[in-house]
Amino acid sequence: MVRRRDRNLHVVREQEDPTDRIVREILDELNSEDDFQNEMGEPGRRRRKSGKVAVIIFLLLAAAVGMYLLVNLQTYSRVRITDAYGKGEAANIGYREFAKGVLKYSRDGISYINQKGEEQWNHSYQIRNPYIEAGQESAVVADKGGNDILVIQEDGVKGEIHTSMPIEKVTVSRQGIVGTVLKNDSSAEIICYDTAGNILVEHKTSSVGTGYPMDIALSKDGKVMQVLYFYTQDGTITSKVMYYNFGEIGRNKTDNQVYSQEYKDTVMVSGFFLDQGVSAAVGDNCLAIFHGKEEPEEKVLIAIDKEIRSVFHNENYIGMILKNEGKEGYELRLYNGDGKVVISKDFTGDYDNVKLCGRQVIMYEGKRCSIFLRNGIQKFEGEMENNIMEIFPVAGVNKYIVMSADGMEKIRLVK
């Protein structure tokens, strides 16, 4: 039987990405150079050896410049799915970037997935209101308003902690020391635990003494603790940032306290460490940055004259989304550890989720996503195919992992 060609059918070929084209052309050029050298004898190869090295260096430099300009000096508006893993995830699932993969968690358990969508381990539990705090090497999943905490590292659950009072705030150091703010109807306590659940530090607070603890943070080594307190005195609102050192320097200090600073007419609500020697506290009208590994001290105090919508950070930068006054939209502002502004960029659109990934600021809400680079250039503005639950960059040009209710997808930003 002879098959007839259907003249109404045609093959659609996806247009080659410009970045892929540059890489292919460089490889073709180098391969043609090798073919030419093989056709010549040994004397010819020696004569042209230095010339070949120069050509390779020139091509690599030209390619690097070309790829940088091509990739980073334009705004992408579409995505191309390169790989997809998993379909039909259950409802009420949450995702959080962690280590080199993703934590997937729910009320019934938590698992760790690598970048190929493969589950590395899982752990069952019953937590009514799970939420996660994650660093680079350790994370915790806690029952907010409950009494259970799990300490997690890349290779699995390292410990389980049961608290004596409901959990209000939780933080974790690099090696898994957990700091908590616990409260009931009449009092609040700050307690630090090791991974086995043993109490390392216990500090009771009072509204007439230290004030109410608003936030807590631990240094990378777990030795220094920052606590933000809030209280009113004579009708004046006051916040206090205090540091405690549980190492040798703090042993001879009252309650291990090594530094304290008050801020009147300010409500300090968010505190964190960028690295071992730089930390920060953000209030409703200011940003305070502290330097010092053992005894932090305020280095710079920055007044914020706009409404702060969100605060985010990584080990190098402190970011804020500020509501513009007298005009539409918001301002993305990024500070370095010395308090200098490195990005001030206006944009439109509401994004409830904002994060720093290396030198990229990623904002998303529903299917919508916007990405800004450290130099202020908007790298992407557009929509994904599904509602975004987590997104972060991975190795490769313009490549990202996106988590949604459909599972994991690897995407590339395209024009």
Side-chain angles (χ1 to χ4, degrees), residues 314 316-317 334 343 356-361 372-375:
N314 63 9
N316 296 313
Y317 304 110
L334 212 62
I343 289 181
L356 265 165
C357 293
R359 299 168 68 85
Q360 302 183 41
V361 178
F372 284 89
L373 299 180
R374 157 68 176 76
N375 56 16

Side-chain angles (χ1 to χ4, degrees), residues 134-408:
Q136 293 181 334
E137 298 177 38
S138 296
V140 289
V141 56
D143 189 359
K144 190 163 188 177
N147 303 96
D148 295 309
I149 301 171
L150 277 74
V151 185
I152 297 162
Q153 293 182 346
E154 187 175 359
D155 57 350
V157 174
K158 295 302 179 183
E160 299 185 30
I161 299 167
H162 186 78
T163 65
S164 59
M165 295 168 61
I167 300 163
E168 178 71 13
K169 296 278 187 178
V170 64
T171 185
V172 63
S173 73
R174 180 178 55 212
Q175 68 270 48
I177 295 174
V178 178
T180 63
V181 175
L182 309 178
K183 74 164 190 174
N184 57 28
D185 294 335
S186 60
S187 64
E189 292 186 9
I190 296 169
I191 301 181
C192 293
Y193 302 88
D194 64 14
T195 55
N198 300 310
I199 294 177
L200 303 177
V201 176
E202 187 171 9
H203 177 63
K204 293 185 178 181
T205 67
S206 66
S207 58
V208 296
T210 56
Y212 184 82
M214 300 292 288
D215 203 6
I216 183 175
L218 288 172
S219 61
K220 304 299 182 183
D221 62 2
K223 186 188 296 185
V224 178
M225 178 174 69
Q226 177 204 63
V227 183
L228 310 185
Y229 295 99
F230 169 79
Y231 63 95
T232 59
Q233 186 174 19
D234 299 327
T236 301
I237 294 174
T238 303
S239 288
K240 186 184 297 183
V241 179
M242 299 181 69
Y243 286 88
Y244 303 86
N245 187 308
F246 304 115
E248 184 177 349
I249 288 179
R251 288 174 184 169
N252 297 324
K253 306 285 186 179
T254 303
D255 295 329
N256 298 92
Q257 180 185 321
V258 293
Y259 183 77
S260 176
Q261 180 65 48
E262 288 189 347
Y263 300 88
K264 294 188 180 299
D265 299 317
T266 298
V267 180
M268 289 289 192
V269 293
S270 179
F272 43 84
F273 283 80
L274 279 73
D275 58 31
Q276 186 64 37
V278 181
S279 53
V282 180
D284 57 345
N285 56 15
C286 68
L287 164 64
I289 298 176
F290 305 85
H291 283 199
K293 293 183 178 180
E294 302 286 348
E295 299 179 82
E297 294 184 354
E298 183 189 280
K299 178 178 176 63
V300 60
L301 180 64
I302 302 166
I304 307 296
D305 56 358
K306 294 183 178 182
E307 178 187 341
I308 302 174
R309 297 298 300 270
S310 60
V311 177
F312 46 97
H313 71 94
N314 63 9
E315 65 275 12
N316 296 313
Y317 304 110
I318 303 162
M320 296 182 184
I321 302 298
L322 307 172
K323 184 173 177 57
N324 284 332
E325 299 287 342
K327 61 179 179 179
E328 184 182 6
Y330 302 91
E331 177 192 356
L332 164 63
R333 190 181 298 177
L334 212 62
Y335 296 91
N336 64 16
D338 292 321
K340 296 181 179 179
V341 176
V342 294
I343 289 181
S344 176
K345 194 77 174 180
D346 287 343
F347 68 95
T348 57
D350 293 305
Y351 298 93
D352 284 344
N353 304 284
V354 188
K355 60 187 294 188
L356 265 165
C357 293
R359 299 168 68 85
Q360 302 183 41
V361 178
I362 302 178
M363 303 182 282
Y364 60 96
E365 178 68 23
K367 296 180 180 180
R368 297 181 298 107
C369 180
S370 181
I371 302 174
F372 284 89
L373 299 180
R374 157 68 176 76
N375 56 16
I377 292 175
Q378 189 172 25
K379 183 175 184 178
F380 178 78
E381 184 177 23
E383 291 190 354
M384 308 292 172
E385 292 191 3
N386 301 294
N387 288 339
I388 305 165
M389 301 178 70
E390 178 64 295
I391 178 173
F392 55 93
V394 292
V397 179
N398 287 346
K399 291 186 176 181
Y400 296 78
I401 281 179
V402 178
M403 306 300 300
S404 71
D406 277 352
M408 175 186 289

Side-chain angles (χ1 to χ4, degrees), residues 85 98-104 111-121 154 392 394 401 403 408-410:
Y85 311 96
F98 177 64
K100 298 176 183 178
V102 180
L103 292 171
K104 182 175 75 173
S111 61
Y112 180 69
I113 304 170
N114 66 19
Q115 293 186 8
K116 294 182 179 180
E118 301 165 339
E119 184 180 276
Q120 302 300 290
W121 54 260
E154 187 175 359
F392 55 93
V394 292
I401 281 179
M403 306 300 300
M408 175 186 289
E409 293 177 341
K410 283 188 178 180

